[in-house]
Amino acid sequence: GTAITGNSLTQEVDLRLTQDTRNFLPFKEMFAQETLPSLGDSFHRSVCAKTEVESLSPELGTCTDPYPFSRSYLNGPWARDLLLQCSKAISDKEMPRVQHHLWALNELASPYGDCQQRIAAAFLQALFCRITGTGLRCHRILCAAVERSCSFASMRKMFLKFQEASPWTSFGHVAANGAILEAFDGELRVHILDLSNTFCTQWPTLLEALATRPDGAPHLRLTTVIVTREGSALKVMKEVGVRLEKFARLMGVPFEFNVIQELELDKLQLDNLDLRSGEALAINCIQSLHHLPENASSKPGEDSPRERIFHTFRNMNPKIVTVVEDEVDLLSNDFMSCVCEALRFYSLFFESLEESFPRASNERLMLERSAARGLVNILACDEPDYCERREKSSQWGSRLQRAGFSPAAFSDDVVDDVRALLKRYKEGWGLSTGDRGTFLTWKEQNAIVASAWKLRACESTPP
């Protein structure tokens, strides 16, 4: 296979950036039509009648390709096929094909169109950055744009709307909360170390559950670790903490909140966490572990950052560790393997948003832009700039077991709570179970996995 190296084609492609990469260039203006070969029968008819070209949806724009797509092709799932052909051309370094496929994608893609157009737009941006060697620059620009526009109100609204329309995040919250509550049963003082990217939207329901415990509410400390580089996240989390403290008082739950920022999660220092004797500890990891570098240390015999964080967890002696991650393997160094898996997963994500949100929803646009930023990092950035390298539950589970943890199956009560949650949403969502966790499915495809882990008896020590 072709190894992923964002700069490998830079010298071979006759493309130059002439404007900010936040708005990738219109390829139809960059490439002279006479230089573009036919895409072939797998993508469109070799000849289209003028009347058929004019009948194409206005949202797709006017198709000026001398070999335009037919309507029959556009009615199907064209984005995947065209993106795969473009990626294969990039992998094979066949530049005439690359140029033509990029031109065709730019004609059809739109971040404001239907699901196929939006998928194409997100991947087109990443592929363009890859062949021009501008992945890191583009990713930084896109993240900086989020920094400038981010506010507590907009982030809160997005997450609440997302939870209202889709179980993508609430599934993991309900599963993890159920496991944590059962682990804390009978404990008077409890501490949650929260490593997540959902801005504490998980915790109001847990506070409510603690408030109604028959033996009284325990004293709860919540330490949230910010693992993103976005400085605005710390500002938002401090505002979230103020609101959580008010809510805890209303619920009658003794509560302490602390937030710290640690960009290199594997170097998390126990001294900064204020672990206290007599407290039961839960470690909650929601969509955060994949930000850790996967590659091993340059020093022989040393563990990778992902291995180190689980050894750090073991040294904390937690009662429970909950892990929620996307069920997708993006670790491959083979470019085409990575593209295929990214297409499978992100198509699933975009399709679920299509059926959950109106087309003009601002929250949907925010979520899709976040996915597009991730794709730039996955397909167009080199090590050590990877920050979106997700892996599947089997891989996470092997790492946890090597660190001394064993899987703790969710109880029937927790699974029933998750099933009840899914009934609140549109048809298409489902639940499946496996040896390494419980899976949220979209149209029978695994999307998210939630799992719980406890230290093996020989690994745990008295608190």
Side-chain angles (χ1 to χ4, degrees):
T2 302
I4 296 181
T5 55
N7 294 321
S8 62
L9 295 175
T10 305
Q11 302 303 320
E12 301 183 38
V13 184
D14 186 22
L15 299 174
R16 295 293 183 269
L17 289 175
T18 58
Q19 65 184 51
D20 195 315
T21 51
R22 283 173 294 181
N23 300 305
F24 51 83
L25 294 178
F27 294 98
K28 61 186 177 182
E29 296 177 6
M30 295 176 63
F31 304 134
Q33 290 180 22
E34 57 269 18
T35 68
L36 304 180
S38 169
L39 288 175
D41 291 338
S42 63
F43 293 107
H44 58 76
R45 310 296 183 189
S46 59
V47 178
C48 262
K50 182 176 184 294
T51 54
E52 184 176 47
V53 177
E54 292 174 345
S55 70
L56 292 176
S57 169
E59 293 178 0
L60 298 179
T62 303
C63 185
T64 57
D65 186 354
Y67 303 97
F69 286 81
S70 70
R71 173 175 285 279
S72 62
Y73 184 79
L74 292 175
N75 286 339
W78 54 268
R80 180 182 183 278
D81 292 339
L82 186 52
L83 287 164
L84 283 176
Q85 289 292 330
C86 182
S87 300
K88 184 65 165 62
I90 293 173
S91 179
D92 294 342
K93 302 183 181 180
E94 295 185 8
M95 298 324 301
R97 286 176 56 213
V98 170
Q99 291 180 347
H100 194 130
H101 293 330
L102 290 176
W103 180 89
L105 281 165
N106 194 64
E107 281 290 302
L108 296 170
S110 169
Y112 307 104
D114 62 24
C115 184
Q116 290 294 302
Q117 291 174 282
R118 293 178 186 224
I119 292 170
F123 275 85
L124 172 59
Q125 178 176 242
L127 293 177
F128 175 60
C129 289
R130 177 180 174 79
I131 64 174
T132 55
T134 57
L136 180 57
R137 175 173 174 248
C138 179
H139 190 257
R140 286 174 174 170
I141 290 171
L142 293 170
C143 290
V146 174
E147 283 278 303
R148 291 192 296 271
S149 61
C150 180
S151 68
F152 172 76
S154 63
M155 295 298 295
R156 178 175 179 271
K157 184 179 179 182
M158 183 195 73
F159 276 106
L160 292 178
K161 285 284 188 181
F162 195 22
Q163 288 184 335
E164 179 183 326
S166 166
W168 198 274
T169 58
S170 52
F171 158 78
H173 290 175
V174 171
N177 280 353
I180 291 170
L181 284 168
E182 290 179 350
F184 281 170
D185 186 38
E187 300 288 348
L188 299 180
R189 303 187 70 83
V190 296
H191 183 192
I192 298 174
L193 177 62
D194 180 30
L195 291 77
S196 67
N197 68 347
T198 54
F199 293 93
C200 288
T201 52
Q202 175 177 352
W203 303 123
T205 53
L206 183 129
L207 284 167
E208 289 179 334
L210 290 176
T212 58
R213 265 192 4 180
D215 54 348
H219 182 280
L220 170 64
R221 283 202 305 133
L222 177 62
T223 300
T224 296
V225 180
I226 303 297
V227 296
T228 176
R229 294 182 182 276
E230 298 173 2
S232 57
L234 187 60
K235 177 181 65 176
V236 169
M237 282 307 308
K238 288 181 178 179
E239 177 63 26
V240 168
V242 171
R243 294 185 177 226
L244 276 177
E245 288 170 346
K246 291 179 179 178
F247 185 75
R249 284 198 298 271
L250 180 65
M251 292 290 101
V253 178
F255 182 72
E256 294 179 47
F257 179 80
N258 186 38
V259 57
I260 60 177
Q261 191 165 29
E262 179 55 74
L263 300 183
E264 297 181 89
L265 192 56
D266 60 302
K267 297 181 180 178
L268 193 63
Q269 298 296 315
L270 301 189
D271 292 343
N272 296 334
L273 302 178
D274 189 22
L275 301 179
R276 300 174 187 174
S277 177
E279 285 184 335
L281 175 67
I283 302 175
N284 182 66
C285 307
I286 308 287
Q287 298 285 4
S288 57
L289 296 177
H290 66 263
H291 293 298
L292 282 162
E294 187 276 336
N295 59 302
S297 170
S298 57
K299 297 180 181 179
E302 286 197 355
D303 291 329
S304 73
R306 295 189 182 191
E307 303 285 348
R308 288 200 295 270
I309 189 62
F310 293 135
H311 287 293
T312 300
F313 289 172
R314 182 187 63 194
N315 294 336
M316 296 181 192
N317 195 32
K319 291 205 71 174
I320 193 82
V321 175
T322 51
V323 176
V324 178
E325 284 285 344
D326 298 330
E327 183 66 0
V328 58
D329 182 5
L330 297 174
L331 291 182
S332 176
N333 286 323
D334 179 77
F335 178 62
M336 284 305 299
S337 296
C338 195
V339 168
C340 289
E341 182 71 351
L343 261 173
R344 180 197 67 80
F345 178 77
Y346 282 99
S347 294
L348 183 155
F349 178 66
F350 275 66
E351 288 165 8
S352 72
L353 293 180
E354 173 89 350
E355 297 196 26
S356 301
F357 286 94
R359 181 173 292 188
S361 164
N362 286 331
E363 290 72 36
R364 176 181 173 181
L365 287 173
M366 291 174 69
L367 291 163
E368 289 173 339
R369 286 169 182 167
S370 177
R373 290 195 302 274
L375 281 168
V376 170
N377 185 265
I378 292 164
L379 300 179
C381 290
D382 298 327
E383 294 186 76
D385 302 309
Y386 296 152
C387 63
E388 296 287 345
R389 285 293 187 260
R390 292 164 172 82
E391 55 186 348
K392 288 189 173 181
S393 53
S394 58
Q395 296 157 298
W396 290 119
S398 295
R399 295 181 190 278
L400 280 154
Q401 288 184 316
R402 287 195 295 270
F405 291 90
S406 295
F410 293 112
S411 69
D412 291 342
D413 288 341
V414 173
V415 173
D416 288 344
D417 287 344
V418 175
R419 292 191 190 280
L421 169 77
L422 298 186
K423 292 179 180 179
R424 293 166 36 191
Y425 298 98
K426 292 183 177 181
E427 291 186 4
W429 298 104
L431 196 67
S432 68
T433 57
D435 295 338
R436 300 292 176 87
T438 298
F439 299 86
L440 173 69
T441 65
W442 170 252
K443 297 185 176 178
E444 300 184 350
Q445 293 188 69
N446 288 341
I448 306 289
V449 59
S451 60
W453 301 81
K454 292 184 178 181
L455 280 172
R456 290 195 287 269
C458 59
E459 301 285 349
S460 61
T461 58

